[in-house]
Amino acid sequence: MPELPEVEVVKRSLEPRLIGRHVSSVAVHSPALREPLDHKALVALTGSTVSGLRRRAKYLLIDFEGGHTLVIHLGMSGRLTVVGSNVPREKHEHLSFFLSDSGRLRLVDPRRFGMAFALPTPGLASDRRFSHLGVEPLDTADSAGGLSGAYLRLKAKGRRGPIKSFLMDGKIVVGVGNIYASEVLWRSKVHPKRGVDRIGPETWERLASSIRGVLADAIAEGGTTLSDFQDGEGNAGYFQVSLAAYGREDQPCPRCEAPIRRIVQSNRSTFYCARCQR
């Protein structure tokens, strides 16, 4: 599943291909996604010009002049790429935006867990899909609402439960999915089952720093491609070769060479080093 780094990589790869481009037409080929595509609202973007791209959590936001935003969530298998307008439509191409430079922005989603919808830009923050979201992990720690150890410690006050589940709670911090949670905990030397009520201030700071570091490193390496992730130009990521814990069961820990172990938490695989992460 594309996580925050993958969506950020898609955003950055699409920016030079989309900003300033005029939408000449919109085609909804198959509306059957997690939320059915609203043909009328999407086609209404015809004639608009792309003014900018943003990301909120795992959502890609494409802003248009005139005050509307196209919101896209890639789900589990979604791909958003720009191709020539005359390139044959793919089997699972649900949505196409034909651009003024003879390009076509296409959303392909074989498993159909993605979403695409248009909203007035000023209303995004209050929309039900965004209003509950936590802090952006790549915001600087000294900015309003930025991620810090003090922020995580405050959110953990009065809570119980394992640290891995806490880090993956999008109401606290967005974008730390299953792959990156394992990597953050390995980098921080924190056991994935440790209770949030048993973590001190120094460890919270280490966790906040590791979250920013892991996500930034993944973005720099083009994201993680374990199956079919591609950026906006069709390129695969290569952070998977840098993974220290995730998917490396029985392989030596890069830090101490003890075997990486796998456990299941909340029906998701967790990978950790029993020697480093006590």
Side-chain angles (χ1 to χ4, degrees):
M1 173 182 289
E3 299 184 14
L4 184 153
E6 288 72 52
V7 178
E8 182 67 24
V9 166
V10 170
K11 179 188 81 73
R12 296 182 185 186
S13 65
L14 287 176
E15 283 175 328
R17 308 288 301 274
L18 293 182
I19 293 178
R21 299 299 191 274
H22 181 81
V23 176
S24 57
S25 64
V26 179
V28 178
H29 306 293
S30 174
L33 290 177
R34 190 194 329 179
E35 294 182 6
L37 297 177
D38 185 336
H39 183 277
K40 182 179 180 180
L42 292 168
V43 171
L45 295 173
T46 300
S48 302
T49 299
V50 177
S51 60
L53 279 75
R54 297 177 287 146
R55 179 193 52 75
R56 179 67 170 114
K58 299 179 185 179
Y59 292 93
L60 177 67
L61 312 178
I62 303 177
D63 294 323
F64 290 87
E65 295 177 359
H68 279 77
T69 297
L70 172 65
V71 182
I72 294 178
H73 192 293
L74 297 176
M76 299 185 71
S77 61
R79 289 184 287 114
L80 194 65
T81 55
V82 174
V83 296
S85 59
N86 58 349
V87 172
R89 178 161 62 93
E90 284 199 23
K91 179 180 179 181
H92 299 288
E93 185 171 334
H94 292 263
L95 180 63
S96 302
F97 285 79
F98 293 87
L99 307 172
S100 55
D101 63 347
S102 298
R104 180 171 96 246
L105 175 67
R106 62 181 182 182
L107 174 62
V108 177
D109 189 354
R111 299 185 68 179
R112 300 185 297 180
F113 283 99
M115 290 189 291
F117 52 92
L119 292 175
T121 305
L124 283 177
S126 60
D127 182 79
R128 62 181 174 80
R129 306 168 188 88
F130 296 93
S131 58
H132 68 286
L133 294 177
V135 70
E136 282 286 340
L138 298 180
D139 285 352
T140 55
D142 59 352
S143 69
L147 176 67
S148 67
Y151 169 83
L152 294 175
R153 186 184 181 193
L154 177 65
K155 291 296 183 180
K157 187 175 181 179
R159 289 174 175 258
R160 294 182 180 273
I163 180 59
K164 188 191 176 204
S165 298
F166 177 84
L167 295 180
M168 292 179 63
D169 186 344
K171 296 179 182 178
I172 298 169
V173 56
V174 300
V176 185
N178 193 50
I179 294 173
Y180 297 113
S182 286
E183 293 300 297
V184 166
L185 291 168
W186 179 87
R187 193 174 290 197
S188 303
K189 298 183 179 180
V190 175
H191 194 285
K193 287 186 175 181
R194 185 189 295 188
V196 295
D197 56 328
R198 296 176 49 241
I199 294 177
E202 291 185 3
T203 303
W204 282 122
E205 290 295 342
R206 195 162 68 245
L207 284 163
S209 177
S210 294
I211 289 171
R212 292 192 297 270
V214 166
L215 296 179
D217 289 349
I219 291 168
E221 295 188 31
T224 301
T225 299
L226 297 181
S227 55
D228 54 6
F229 168 71
Q230 296 178 358
D231 68 12
E233 297 179 336
N235 301 312
Y238 52 94
F239 187 65
Q240 61 273 12
V241 302
S242 300
L243 294 173
Y246 186 86
R248 302 187 71 248
E249 184 179 10
D250 295 330
Q251 297 182 46
C253 169
R255 190 162 46 213
C256 74
E257 298 188 350
I260 295 292
R261 294 184 180 178
R262 173 185 172 273
I263 57 175
V264 177
Q265 293 179 286
S266 301
N267 298 316
R268 306 294 297 275
S269 292
T270 299
F271 299 86
Y272 72 103
C273 173
R275 182 181 297 170
C276 292
Q277 298 169 252
R278 295 187 180 279

